């Protein structure tokens, strides 16, 4: 019985530290799973002193020690459990824990004596406890020091925390990149390499972001993001359609600090969430990505390798999105977003300008398999899909008006990933778009694909390797009215029907060194065959070194 008394005391003394460790672990997991856009969890209060053994969910009346525990609760009242209402009576006991239990129960006995309840305490018990307290005095001293240190550190954290309701997080990416000397067959495409690649000087690109996640209610929060970017990969040789032969995932030059995110998240039910806002309401944010390493900060280097370009169409800013987990392994996401929701002018605003409606079905048939199917409908006021990858501007610029015809686009795609083993995953995606000028005949079609392999914990825990091979969006056919078809316009300037004469292939390889929990360095290489979907363009090789700091 005395042994059970001591173990009960251990649970009571260790209760506070265990609860703090539990909170820290859960919060860290939430941050890792939702990256920088996570909602802080509410504090978890530890159990109060147990007044009945029935409060301990893992102690049953038929347990051999049930009567002993029940008697100790009634006589001494110094039994406490863990934050999850468990007692954990079968776990091993260290000398420090045993010492803590002795001290806690002795304090309880002294309390009983001072409150005139000494008849509950036998002289034998008291003598035994005093002897044990003397024997474990060194361990008790060390334990008290640790508790004092923990309380001091906790007080310092509480005194210097940013806010009780707002979480501050952010990242800084700095990359060095350079490309080989190349010559290209640019307008008109006539089989002659007549233009030098102007972007071969080595330069630095940086991206800094700060995020504020402000909890409004236990089931809602406001997300605000600030962004500042410097440097870009251009100038480069290009043509009027493939203006981005390669765009890096963190390449976002701004003239000054801008608001990148301003949206409100509300968990309506346990299975339905809504996001609405004026900035940052886009498919990459609203749709869950089946590629589990998707990240411009820590994943693949190029923008194309992040996700299917279909999911970038429209580059939405303001709108509304929903996420419905309608089954254990199935969810549905939907979005309506506008490129210029705050501009009331012509071809702008929430409904009149470039707008996008999308829906995604995400399935996880097994723990190792992810499958997503998506459909996107987009209206572009200038004929550009705003994917910033491959062939994205699908109508020519009229030399007289300086404008290009608008397009209505329907796009479909699918992505699948398979976790072959804990250290190897493979995946692929494909996409197809079909667009037309409202009120006119003909259409323009594009395709894209990517196959990839990821290697988590390659050579060391936390590191990541990746190999990606794919075709950026390419105009396979264009039968719009004469003068609007891009491929022939680049060739002859006439804009007659026809598709691209070549096919760009992008090969990307990278390896991320995770130096600490917050710092990583990622060297990588990108090689382009037939950039700009032009057979006579020289191949392009780009070397990149990305460094990332997150907090």
């Amino acid at each position: 019985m005395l042994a059970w008394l001591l173990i009960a005391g251990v649970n009571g003394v260790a209760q506070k530290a265990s609860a703090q460790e539990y909170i820290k672990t859960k919060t860290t997991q939430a941050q890792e799973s939702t990256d920088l856009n996570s909602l802080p969890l509410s504090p978890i209060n530890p159990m109060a002193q147990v007044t009945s053994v029935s409060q301990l969910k893992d102690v049953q009346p038929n347990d051999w020690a049930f009567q002993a525990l029940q008697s100790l609760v009634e006589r001494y009242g110094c039994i406490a459990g863990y934050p999850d209402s468990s007692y954990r009576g079968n776990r091993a006991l260290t000398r420090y824990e045993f010492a803590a239990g002795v001290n806690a129960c002795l304090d309880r006995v002294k309390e009983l004596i001072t409150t005139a309840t000494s008849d509950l305490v036998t002289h034998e018990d008291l003598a035994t406890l005093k002897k044990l307290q003397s024997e474990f005095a060194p361990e008790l001293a060390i334990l008290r020091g640790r508790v004092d240190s923990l309380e001091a550190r906790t007080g310092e954290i509480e005194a210097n925390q940013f806010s009780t309701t707002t979480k501050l997080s952010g990242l800084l990416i700095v990359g060095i990149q350079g490309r080989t000397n190349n010559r290209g067959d640019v307008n008109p495409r006539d089989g002659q390499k007549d233009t030098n690649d102007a972007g071969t000087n080595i330069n630095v690109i940086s991206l800094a972001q700060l995020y504020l996640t402000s909890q409004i209610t236990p089931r809602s929060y406001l997300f605000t993001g600030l962004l500042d970017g410097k440097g870009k990969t251009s100038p480069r040789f290009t043509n009027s359609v493939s203006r981005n032969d390669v765009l890096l995932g963190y390449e976002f030059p701004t003239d000054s600090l801008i608001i990148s995110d301003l949206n409100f998240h509300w968990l309506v039910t346990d299975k339905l969430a809504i996001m609405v806002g004026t900035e940052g309401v886009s498919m990459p944010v609203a749709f869950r990505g089946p590629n589990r390493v998707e990240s411009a900060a820590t994943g693949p280097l190029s923008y194309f390798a992040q996700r299917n370009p279909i999911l970038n169409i429209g580059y939405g800013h303001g709108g509304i999105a929903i996420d419905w987990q309608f089954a254990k392994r199935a969810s549905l996401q939907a979005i309506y977003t506008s490129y210029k929701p705050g501009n009331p002018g012509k071809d702008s605003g929430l409904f009149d300008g470039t707008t996008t409606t999308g829906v995604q079905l995400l399935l996880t048939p097994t723990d190792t398999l992810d499958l997503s199917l998506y459909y996107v409908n987009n209206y572009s006021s200038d004929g550009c899909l705003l994917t910033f990858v491959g062939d994205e501007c699908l109508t020519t610029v009229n030399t007289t008006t300086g404008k290009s015809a608008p397009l209505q686009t329907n796009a479909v795609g699918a992505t699948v990933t398979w976790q072959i083993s804990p250290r190897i995953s493979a995946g692929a995606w494909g996409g197809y778009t079909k667009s037309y000028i409202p009120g006119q005949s003909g259409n323009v079609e594009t395709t894209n694909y990517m196959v990839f392999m990821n290697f988590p914990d390659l050579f060391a825990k936390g590191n990541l390797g990746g190999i990606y091979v794919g075709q950026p969006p390419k105009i396979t056919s264009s039968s719009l009215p004469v003068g609007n078809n891009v491929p022939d316009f680049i060739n002859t300037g006439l804009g007659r029907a026809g598709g691209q004469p070549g096919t760009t292939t992008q090969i990307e390889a990278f390896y991320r060194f995770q130096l600490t929990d917050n710092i990583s360095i990622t060297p990588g290489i990108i090689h382009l065959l037939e950039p700009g979907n032009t057979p006579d363009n020289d191949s392009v090789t780009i070397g990149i070194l990305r460094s990332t700091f997150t907090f």
Side-chain angles (χ1 to χ4, degrees):
M1 187 176 230
L2 182 59
W4 277 101
L5 176 66
L6 297 175
I7 296 173
V10 170
N11 281 340
V13 172
Q15 180 180 7
K16 180 178 179 181
S18 297
Q20 291 171 341
E21 181 180 359
Y22 178 76
I23 295 170
K24 180 179 178 182
T25 301
K26 297 294 284 186
T27 304
T28 302
Q29 290 173 347
Q31 292 171 351
E32 291 175 352
S33 63
T34 59
D35 199 14
L36 298 173
N37 196 356
S38 60
L39 179 64
L41 300 179
S42 299
I44 301 173
N45 295 322
M47 276 183 60
Q49 198 75 22
V50 172
T51 57
S52 172
V53 181
S54 61
Q55 292 177 244
L56 301 171
K57 65 181 183 181
D58 58 347
V59 177
Q60 304 301 323
N62 57 351
D63 290 340
W64 65 272
F66 181 83
Q67 294 297 330
L69 287 172
Q70 187 177 48
S71 177
L72 287 172
V73 171
E74 294 172 355
R75 291 182 59 192
Y76 298 101
C78 66
I79 293 181
Y82 286 89
D84 61 353
S85 300
S86 64
Y87 181 66
R88 306 181 193 177
N90 292 323
R91 62 182 292 268
L93 194 68
T94 68
R95 286 179 60 85
Y96 288 119
E97 291 172 321
F98 188 75
V102 171
N103 190 65
C105 286
L106 184 58
D107 290 342
R108 180 59 179 159
V109 169
K110 291 179 179 178
E111 181 183 341
L112 293 173
I113 293 174
T114 58
T115 55
T117 55
S118 57
D119 56 319
L120 297 176
V121 183
T122 66
H123 292 291
E124 292 80 3
D125 285 349
L126 188 58
T128 302
L129 287 171
K130 287 183 177 180
K131 182 178 179 182
L132 289 171
Q133 185 183 37
S134 175
E135 180 179 348
F136 286 91
E139 286 81 3
L140 285 172
I142 294 174
L143 186 61
R144 287 194 186 98
R146 291 181 178 178
V147 172
D148 291 343
S149 175
L150 180 61
E151 289 180 346
R153 290 173 58 190
T154 302
E156 182 180 356
I157 292 173
E158 291 177 349
N160 293 281
Q161 64 181 336
F162 177 75
S163 169
T164 57
T165 59
T166 299
K167 173 189 172 184
L168 173 65
S169 56
L171 62 86
L172 172 64
I173 304 173
V174 179
I176 301 175
Q177 63 90 28
R179 48 198 285 155
T180 55
N181 293 317
N182 310 279
R183 288 178 63 80
D185 177 17
V186 190
N187 311 14
R189 285 191 295 205
D190 54 6
Q192 302 298 319
K193 299 177 183 179
D194 50 18
T195 305
N196 290 325
D197 185 347
T200 57
N201 289 332
I202 296 175
N203 71 314
V204 177
I205 298 175
S206 65
L207 180 71
Q209 290 182 277
L210 289 176
Y211 300 104
L212 298 173
T213 305
S214 303
Q215 186 167 353
I216 308 300
T217 70
R219 300 177 71 88
S220 66
Y221 66 95
L222 178 68
F223 185 70
T224 306
L226 301 174
L227 181 148
D228 182 68
K230 304 294 183 185
K232 52 187 177 180
T233 54
S234 61
R236 60 180 81 87
F237 72 73
T238 182
N239 53 49
S240 61
V241 59
S242 298
R243 56 183 179 179
N244 299 296
D245 54 11
V246 162
L247 190 73
L248 299 179
Y250 50 92
E251 183 178 345
F252 196 93
T254 61
D255 295 329
S256 59
L257 188 68
I258 66 170
I259 297 177
S260 60
D261 296 272
L262 186 59
N263 43 71
F264 176 75
H265 298 245
W266 177 31
L267 187 61
V268 182
T269 70
D270 291 341
K271 298 182 181 297
L272 178 65
I274 293 178
M275 174 174 64
V276 60
T278 58
E279 284 291 345
V281 182
S282 62
M283 285 186 286
V285 175
F287 288 4
R288 305 186 210 177
N291 185 2
R292 301 182 185 185
V293 303
E294 174 184 322
S295 170
T298 58
L301 294 163
S302 71
Y303 194 51
F304 176 41
Q306 299 298 322
R307 67 192 71 86
N308 193 323
I310 298 290
L311 299 176
N312 295 328
I313 288 178
Y315 195 72
H317 288 268
I320 185 171
I322 65 170
D323 189 346
W324 177 31
Q325 188 77 36
F326 64 87
K328 181 178 181 181
R329 293 184 175 272
S331 65
L332 188 71
Q333 294 88 46
I335 189 172
Y336 175 84
T337 182
S338 170
Y339 180 60
K340 293 182 179 180
N343 189 335
K346 185 179 179 181
D347 297 331
S348 293
L350 193 58
F351 301 105
D352 189 39
T354 297
T355 57
T356 303
T357 303
V359 61
Q360 174 181 249
L361 175 64
L362 182 61
L363 305 172
T364 307
T366 69
D367 292 341
T368 59
L369 187 66
D370 294 313
L371 172 64
S372 66
L373 307 170
Y374 31 90
Y375 164 77
V376 177
N377 181 276
N378 170 262
Y379 175 79
S380 171
S381 59
D382 63 357
C384 291
L385 301 183
L386 298 177
T387 62
F388 303 102
V389 175
D391 291 353
E392 56 147 354
C393 290
L394 308 182
T395 56
T396 62
V397 176
N398 187 295
T399 56
T400 302
T401 63
K403 297 181 179 179
S404 53
L407 281 179
Q408 188 75 48
T409 299
N410 292 285
V412 293
T415 303
V416 60
T417 60
W418 176 29
Q419 191 73 33
I420 301 173
S421 72
R423 298 199 173 189
I424 301 176
S425 68
W429 73 61
Y432 167 80
T433 71
K434 187 173 184 178
S435 311
Y436 62 92
I437 301 174
Q440 298 190 31
S441 61
N443 55 67
V444 53
E445 301 175 63
T446 75
T447 62
N448 83 86
Y449 75 85
M450 177 73 80
V451 294
F452 57 89
M453 295 191 72
N454 295 312
F455 305 94
D457 298 329
L458 183 62
F459 302 131
K461 186 173 179 57
N463 294 352
L464 174 69
I467 300 174
Y468 287 65
V469 180
Q471 172 207 295
K474 168 193 171 181
I475 298 175
T476 56
S477 69
S478 185
S479 59
L480 300 173
V482 173
N484 290 281
N485 299 289
V486 169
D488 184 67
F489 187 82
I490 300 173
N491 296 341
T492 66
L494 299 177
R496 298 168 300 189
Q500 289 284 31
T503 301
T504 300
T505 301
Q506 176 174 317
I507 304 169
E508 178 175 340
F510 66 90
Y511 182 74
R512 185 190 74 210
F513 294 90
Q514 196 68 41
L515 303 182
T516 69
D517 290 341
N518 305 97
I519 300 175
S520 65
I521 296 178
T522 309
I525 189 170
I526 298 173
H527 185 68
L528 296 176
L529 300 171
E530 299 186 8
N533 294 307
T534 304
D536 296 305
N537 280 352
D538 285 344
S539 297
V540 174
T541 302
I542 307 169
I544 303 145
L545 181 63
R546 177 188 67 194
S547 57
T548 303
F549 169 71
T550 62
F551 67 92

